[in-house]
Amino acid sequence: MTRRPYVLLSVAVSVDGYIDDASPERLKLSNAADFDRVDQVRAESDAILIGAQTLRRDNPRLLVDSADRRAVRVAAGKPEYPLKIAVSARGDLDPELRFWHHGGDKLVYTTHAGAAKLGDRLAGLAEVVPLGADIDLAALLDDLGRRGIARLMVEGGTRIHTQFLAADLADELQMAVAPIVVGHAAAPRFLGPASYPVRRMHLADITRIGDIALLRYLPRESEEQTDIRFMRRAIELARLCPPSPTAFSVGAVIVADGVEISTGYSRETDEKVHAEESALDKLDADDPRLARATIYSTLEPCSQRATATRLPCTDRILRAGIARVVIAWREPTTFVTNCVGVEQLRQHGVEVIELAGLAEEAMSMNRHLDLS
């Protein structure tokens, strides 16, 4: 099966979400350092894509400006410039635009109707690829995959960014937020109305570039990636545990709707408290979020307690109505002969996921104990 390219959306916006103002001149939202960053992102891409409306409005060359970066591409066996791609449903593209006369290879994705217009108009300037009666971005990505494009940078505009996000086809969003307020009703915004996937994006990074705030979001983080991220958070909490010769150091995180709603770690409030117990104690027993929550624990929830007055964590989880549990490692026989927390949870219909790849990391703060 052909692998689609990694899709990175790149955009600069005003504080109020505009990508330009309503004047005839293009509004430069980025500063010099951010423009240089964008040049680096272009140099790292196999192809750069732009929509017809932005192409007509801004008339960009869409190049890698740095000669040094182009030299690095050539040394790596790549073309000097990334493939430049325009998308136009109607085929209303002027062959005099600068886009066609600078850089390397060009490609236009269009409809059958658009191809009829562009075939002669762009002869010798670009390859024209019809996708059917409409522009199908999934088919576009499939075609790019067959061409060996592994990394696609999308530079706009509103319609193109909207279509990629609404179709859930973007892997990364890099948004440079400029300290400018536009406020023009006629000015173009980053996104238009659409039916978008209903979920929170993962904020992977925030970088300050002079007076620009660069936000890096991952719109399509997989469930496995989410589990790994929150388990690493639980491991960080486990490192906060006061060391004990008679108990494990464990961290726990409770997540609902993609958001951390409670945390806990062993001996956080007293020497007997367990991580899951500590996290659950911070929430009301009837909190409606618990029914749709996942609890991440670095260690299998206990099924028995040395202190008879304390309910085992497995029972606490079942009583809370949590339907999903993610752990990094099973409890060894260090303190109990037979922990059956996972078995009990599964018997009651709870989904239990084990992230064995993080077991060593989750065990690391317990190396002073006998873990055989």
Side-chain angles (χ1 to χ4, degrees), residues 214-278:
L214 176 64
L215 310 179
R216 180 171 168 261
Y217 287 100
L218 303 179
R220 294 198 302 162
E221 183 179 52
S222 69
E223 185 174 68
E224 180 182 10
Q225 290 170 324
T226 299
D227 285 344
I228 290 172
R229 175 162 58 89
F230 282 116
M231 183 56 72
R232 288 218 159 96
R233 167 71 169 133
I235 290 171
E236 290 175 7
L237 290 165
R239 299 189 195 283
L240 300 177
C241 300
S244 170
T246 59
F248 295 113
S249 292
V250 180
V253 179
I254 302 176
V255 175
D257 304 319
V259 179
E260 178 183 303
I261 62 172
S262 187
T263 64
Y265 56 88
S266 305
R267 299 173 293 285
E268 181 179 10
T269 54
D270 66 62
E271 63 178 12
K272 300 293 185 182
V273 74
H274 286 194
E276 303 94 325
E277 180 183 17
S278 180

Side-chain angles (χ1 to χ4, degrees), residues 97-260:
L97 289 169
R98 297 193 301 168
F99 181 87
W100 315 114
H101 303 283
H102 299 272
D105 293 339
K106 292 93 180 175
L107 187 64
V108 180
Y109 287 106
T110 185
T111 59
H112 288 316
K117 294 181 182 179
L118 292 172
D120 293 332
R121 191 180 298 175
L122 295 181
L125 296 175
E127 179 183 354
V128 178
V129 180
L131 293 174
D134 300 297
I135 298 292
D136 182 342
L137 291 182
L140 182 155
L141 293 178
D142 288 337
D143 185 67
L144 288 177
R146 288 190 289 270
R147 294 169 183 267
I149 300 300
R151 189 174 181 86
L152 173 66
M153 180 183 185
V154 179
E155 293 206 38
T158 302
R159 187 174 301 170
I160 289 294
H161 280 141
T162 297
Q163 290 174 344
F164 269 100
L165 284 171
D168 203 16
L169 293 173
D171 297 289
E172 181 175 341
L173 166 61
Q174 293 188 8
M175 175 184 287
V177 182
I180 296 173
V181 177
V182 174
H184 296 167
R189 289 185 173 273
F190 167 41
L191 296 174
S195 178
Y196 297 101
V198 182
R199 64 167 178 266
R200 297 174 72 92
M201 296 184 188
H202 169 50
L203 178 59
D205 192 30
I206 303 174
T207 305
R208 181 172 179 170
I209 306 173
D211 62 356
I212 297 286
L214 176 64
L215 310 179
R216 180 171 168 261
Y217 287 100
L218 303 179
R220 294 198 302 162
E221 183 179 52
S222 69
E223 185 174 68
E224 180 182 10
Q225 290 170 324
T226 299
D227 285 344
I228 290 172
R229 175 162 58 89
F230 282 116
M231 183 56 72
R232 288 218 159 96
R233 167 71 169 133
I235 290 171
E236 290 175 7
L237 290 165
R239 299 189 195 283
L240 300 177
C241 300
S244 170
T246 59
F248 295 113
S249 292
V250 180
V253 179
I254 302 176
V255 175
D257 304 319
V259 179
E260 178 183 303

